Amino acid sequence: MTEIVASDPLWRTALRWFFGGLVAAPLGILPHELGHYLVLLALGVPDLALHFVGVTWDLEEFWLAVWREDYATAATIAPLWGVALSDAAGPLATYALVLTCCYGCAVWRPYPALVAVAYFAQARIRIAAEYAWRRLFNNELPSDLEAMAAGANFDELRVAVLTGIPVPLLVGFALVFLAATGTWLLRYLPRGRRIVAALSMVVGMIVSLVAYAGYVGPWLLP
C-alpha cells in the first residue's frame, strides 16, 4: 500500500491518532501475557494466575533448583522445555500480534489503533536490549544464570537460561523484527502530518499505560 496523505484538519488528525494510542496498553500487553498463560495452563503448573501485567505460578522451587543447576529436581516440578516454551510464548504472541496489525493496515485500513498497538507491544524489548548490549561488550558480567539470580528478569533471559540459546541472539531477532515492522508501519503515518500523528499517538499511549496500569488493569485482572 502507498503512503497515506493527510486530508483531515490538523486537529482531527491529532485527535484520531491520540484515540488510536488509547487502546495500546491493554491490547499490547494482554496478548503477550496470554501467550505465557496458555502454555502454563496446558502444563498444569500449580497456582497459576493471569494478572494485568504478568503471570504468576508457584515457581520458586523450580527456579531455585535451576539456580543450583539441579535440573533433575526442577523437572519434577515442571518440564524444563515446557517452562522455556511458556517464556518464549509471550514474545511469540507479540510477534503474531504485530504481524496481525501490519496485515490489518495493509489489507483492511491503516487504523491508528493498529499502528499504535504494533509499536507499543514491542517497547518491552528495551530492557532486554540493554542487557544484551552489556553481555556482548562486557566480558566481566556474571553468567545469565547468576544475573537472573541477582534479579534480572525478562523473557529472553529465562529462555536463554533454560535452553542455552544466547541472549543477544534472541534479543537481536526482536530488534530486527522491530526495525523491520517499525519502518514498514511509518508509511501509515499521514504524510505531511507525521510528527503530529506520532506525537499524538505517543501521548495516547502514555495515557493508556497510566490508565491501564493504575486503574483498569488492577480492576480487571488484579
Side-chain angles (χ1 to χ4, degrees), residues 60-197:
E60 182 177 1
E61 292 301 322
F62 175 87
W63 283 109
L64 284 174
V66 170
W67 292 333
R68 295 193 305 267
E69 299 186 60
D70 183 2
Y71 298 110
T73 298
T76 64
I77 301 169
L80 271 67
W81 66 266
V83 177
L85 180 60
S86 75
D87 286 324
L92 290 174
T94 294
Y95 298 146
L97 172 66
V98 173
L99 290 176
T100 299
C101 290
C102 292
Y103 179 84
C105 286
V107 175
W108 303 322
R109 182 177 174 182
Y111 292 106
L114 293 176
V115 179
V117 170
Y119 279 121
F120 183 92
Q122 300 184 80
R124 54 165 290 277
I125 201 61
R126 180 186 62 82
I127 294 174
E130 291 176 0
Y131 178 91
W133 180 266
R134 294 196 303 271
R135 170 62 64 207
L136 279 173
F137 297 104
N138 186 348
N139 294 328
E140 297 180 359
L141 280 181
S143 68
D144 291 335
L145 194 59
E146 292 170 332
M148 190 173 173
N153 185 26
F154 54 90
D155 296 333
E156 288 79 7
L157 178 59
R158 294 193 300 273
V159 172
V161 166
L162 293 174
T163 66
I165 301 172
V167 171
L169 183 62
L170 296 169
V171 175
F173 176 83
L175 291 175
V176 170
F177 186 85
L178 169 60
T181 57
T183 301
W184 189 81
L185 285 166
L186 284 176
R187 71 185 67 190
Y188 297 114
L189 295 174
R191 185 156 50 91
R193 303 274 177 81
R194 281 180 175 154
I195 293 177
V196 171

